[in-house]
Amino acid sequence: MTGLAGALVEAWDELRVHKLRVLLSLIGVAAAVTAITGVTAAVDMLGQAMREQTERWNGRETTISVSAWSMTGTADGSAASAAMLDVVDRYAVTYASRTTWGQVAAELPGGAQVLNGQMVDPAYGIIHRITPAEGRYFVPGDADRLSPTLVVNESFLAALGADDLSGHPTVVLQGQQPVTAEVIGVVPNQYTDEPPTYTVLFDQADRWGLAVDPWGQGSQPPTLELWVPPADVDALRERVTADLTAALPGYQVDAYTPEGDPAVLDAASRWVVVAVSGFALLLGGLGLLNIALVTVRQRIREIGIRRSFGATSGRVFFGVLLESVVATLVAGAVGVALAVVALDLLPVDRMFGTVLQDRPPFPLSAALTGLACAAGVGALAGLLPAVWAVRVKVIDAIRY
């Protein structure tokens, strides 16, 4: 251990002496390590971005979706909805939401228009990672308000003639009786020319008669979504299916969870980027190799004198080798630091077309990968000069 520490100190001292010679080659090494580390970390962020995007459509990774279909042609949506709420209470599920679709007539400035809408419970926004572009999503207290609240898309807000929510825009809905609803949140349109749509709470839709079946098939049961801990998914899926089947005779009850991880950056593309960065790293290593050969050639007399005073071949070998390794490790540390700062300051997640709700920390594996690559290139660059230094004869070196 003492010998290794001494070799490291000696290598650092030599680098300080020849710092101007190795600086330019280390700049290339640092830049390449920044690229390798940054790409590795960015891939993790891209995976999280795509995972969140998938969860916005399908719900969280451990969400159980339960549907009930009448096998007799006669459906009682209210009874099915009540049975689903009983299941939620029985198993104390924290995040659960019923969801279904309907239509309602709205009094817009351009005239009355029948609009498609969705009925949910407050936890739907958490299960599907819904982040309004303006305003907020539903909270449990909204169900007790004296008038309905709506979360609408941008097209709905434009149809109201409002630019934002600063004026607390409202709209008259034609349910069992006309009722004025307040818009509390706006979500971005999912595609171009998207028609106006709205989302309303189940309890409010039932209270004011806003749930109208657009297909004329009677009151269809909603879909129940349960976001549960990973360890409880399989057991709860079976229990919920059995309980609802028993509570709803004549219904086909199905429960499933999303399968598979969302697609991330193609492995081939990732390795192409890493390979290009690795090639740049090797070029920096070649520059360092050239500098190391020149330095060792100028130190032949010094090496011969050290050998004559008892320095072993191993000590000379590792001393020369560690000079390159220490140099590239320092450059690698600088490169890793630059990558950390760049990913922290730049809005990388927005470059992926989304805003991360759960931004992952900078992965330790990416930093270790960058440092390992730097050390590996340093070892390769220092190997040939180290072998040359060991093979020099003492008497020839002293006469040099």
Side-chain angles (χ1 to χ4, degrees), residues 6 47 167 237 267 275 322 386:
R237 184 171 57 240
L322 286 177

Side-chain angles (χ1 to χ4, degrees), residues 116-179:
N116 293 323
Q118 187 180 24
M119 284 151 282
V120 301
D121 291 314
Y124 184 87
I126 298 176
I127 296 173
H128 287 266
R129 292 184 177 272
I130 296 178
T131 304
E134 186 177 358
R136 63 175 178 84
Y137 203 72
F138 301 113
V139 295
D142 290 331
D144 299 325
R145 296 181 61 160
L146 299 179
S147 63
T149 53
L150 302 179
V151 174
V152 303
N153 65 351
E154 293 172 333
S155 297
F156 193 111
L157 189 66
L160 285 178
D163 296 327
D164 51 42
L165 300 182
S166 59
H168 302 283
T170 60
V171 59
V172 176
L173 303 178
Q174 299 294 338
Q176 293 176 348
Q177 59 183 2
V179 61

Side-chain angles (χ1 to χ4, degrees), residues 263-283:
V264 294
L265 185 65
D266 182 76
S269 302
R270 175 177 178 175
W271 283 112
V272 166
V273 177
V274 173
V276 172
S277 302
F279 181 72
L281 186 61
L282 287 177
L283 291 180

